[in-house]
Amino acid sequence: MTDAGGATATGDGIARRRRRRWLTGAAAAAGLLGAGTLACGWVLYDRLSDNITPDEAAAAELARYERERPTALVRGAQNILLIGSDTRAGDGNRHYGKDLGTERSDTTILLHLAADRRSATAVSLPRDLMVHVPSCLRGDGRRSESSFTLFNSAFEVGGSACTIRTVEKLTDIRIDHHVVVDFSGFKNMVDSIDGVQVCLKEPIDDKAAKLRLPAGRVTLDGEQALGYVRVRKSLGDGSDTERMERQQLFLGALVSKVRGSDVLLNPAKLYPLLDAATSALTTDPELASLRGLYQLVRGLRDIPTEQVQFLTVPREPYVYDSNRDQLVEGRADALFALLRADRPVPVTKKNVPASENSEAPGFRGNTAAEDSCA
């Protein structure tokens, strides 16, 4: 009995000690796994944050002119200036042409995010728009003279700070953040989501852009997408107007691809997108971290795709040179006033004939939800 009882008691003790050792080992393994995951997470976080280039020079220049900058009127609304740089400097950009020591903004878009984050309006600013460019700090440390000239020369003269000050003087809208993307960064972002589908009304064969595509629905990789948004002379009437419309349609398709797929919910797909996106960006210091970008974009998840609108600032041929643009002042002022006050911008679809739009109060544009084949 004693031996049996002793044997039973001793066996239970051994079993209990084994269970304790197993639980201790499992807890240690879980702790190591958790620590490893956390460490890996921090490594990835640091890498992605370090990818972003903070535009410290622009921040210093804008601070110098703080007193003359517009005041934000609506708390929570955000205005972000998106600048596509045509620089040939840097990895992946050199084969697009010779770097002459200057760069211009091929594409500039003023993106307004409503305070309630239920709508977004992206306004393209033509590169050939005649505007007043203020005196700006040049790359060589000297200051330029203020001038009335082409809008995209502001970026050439004084970089992003000069472009921001030019836009603020033109619109009286406070720019809260800015993002600069170069050729290589744009391509990498498109490739990271396995391309973007667009609809071509006619085939494209442009030797200069090295772009040859059939008509109909086509999924563009990064190189093709870059050619598509940059090509000008071989498509349509060869105008910058049509190029801006293609850029808007492409951005709408890009938004739909990211929102409509499982990219945002799938870490395996999300990380390559974040890595490509952050590597492509030069931003104001406040945005130059994952935390800063997250705070900006987290409110965008609830914006319905049909409420992401694209349009071009109202303009007409410049009175002294038909190859240049000037604002249609009344309508442009009305648009800027709506954006400043964070009020809805009525947009009339571009595919409606102009004659049918003659009495329409809205601005001609499109939404991210539109099918370019429709």
Side-chain angles (χ1 to χ4, degrees), residues 302-331:
D302 297 327
I303 298 180
T305 305
E306 62 273 12
Q307 292 301 318
V308 180
Q309 303 181 133
F310 295 89
L311 63 147
T312 301
V313 65
R315 86 277 189 223
E316 61 190 1
Y318 179 46
V319 64
Y320 298 113
D321 186 345
S322 60
N323 292 318
R324 305 288 182 253
D325 291 322
Q326 65 184 26
L327 291 180
V328 178
E329 293 190 359
R331 287 181 61 76

Side-chain angles (χ1 to χ4, degrees), residues 60-126:
E61 178 72 353
L62 292 172
R64 177 188 177 97
Y65 291 95
E66 179 59 38
R67 290 187 178 182
E68 71 177 39
R69 299 184 65 195
T71 300
L73 300 182
V74 180
R75 183 181 179 85
Q78 293 276 292
N79 296 295
I80 301 99
L81 199 64
L82 309 177
I83 303 171
S85 167
D86 70 352
T87 180
R88 270 65 170 178
D91 294 340
N93 293 321
R94 293 188 179 90
H95 68 278
Y96 294 106
K98 188 179 296 184
D99 187 359
L100 301 177
T102 61
E103 54 182 309
R104 296 195 178 192
S105 50
D106 255 10
T107 303
T108 305
I109 295 174
L110 173 59
L111 175 63
H112 175 79
L113 306 179
D116 63 5
R117 296 300 189 268
R118 298 300 298 164
S119 66
T121 302
V123 181
S124 293
L125 300 172

Side-chain angles (χ1 to χ4, degrees), residues 169-187:
K169 288 181 178 296
L170 182 72
T171 65
D172 199 28
I173 294 172
R174 173 83 176 204
I175 302 301
D176 301 293
H177 300 291
H178 68 277
V179 176
V180 182
V181 185
D182 64 17
F183 291 161
S184 180
F186 176 84
K187 291 190 304 178

Side-chain angles (χ1 to χ4, degrees), residues 12 27 41 97 136 142 166 175 180 191 242 281 286 298:
D12 288 343
C136 294
R142 296 181 299 166
T166 300
I175 302 301
V180 182
D191 285 334
E242 289 203 357
L281 304 183
E286 191 176 343
R298 68 178 178 179

Side-chain angles (χ1 to χ4, degrees), residues 236-252:
D237 61 9
S239 68
D240 198 43
T241 297
E242 289 203 357
R243 178 164 66 174
M244 285 187 294
E245 290 179 359
R246 285 197 304 277
Q247 291 170 351
Q248 292 169 4
L249 287 170
F250 181 84
L251 289 175

Side-chain angles (χ1 to χ4, degrees), residues 138-160:
R138 294 179 178 274
D140 61 8
R142 296 181 299 166
R143 291 202 169 267
S144 66
E145 297 290 332
S146 60
S147 60
F148 185 67
T149 184
L150 295 176
F151 170 66
N152 72 337
S153 67
F155 194 72
E156 177 186 8
V157 169
S160 51

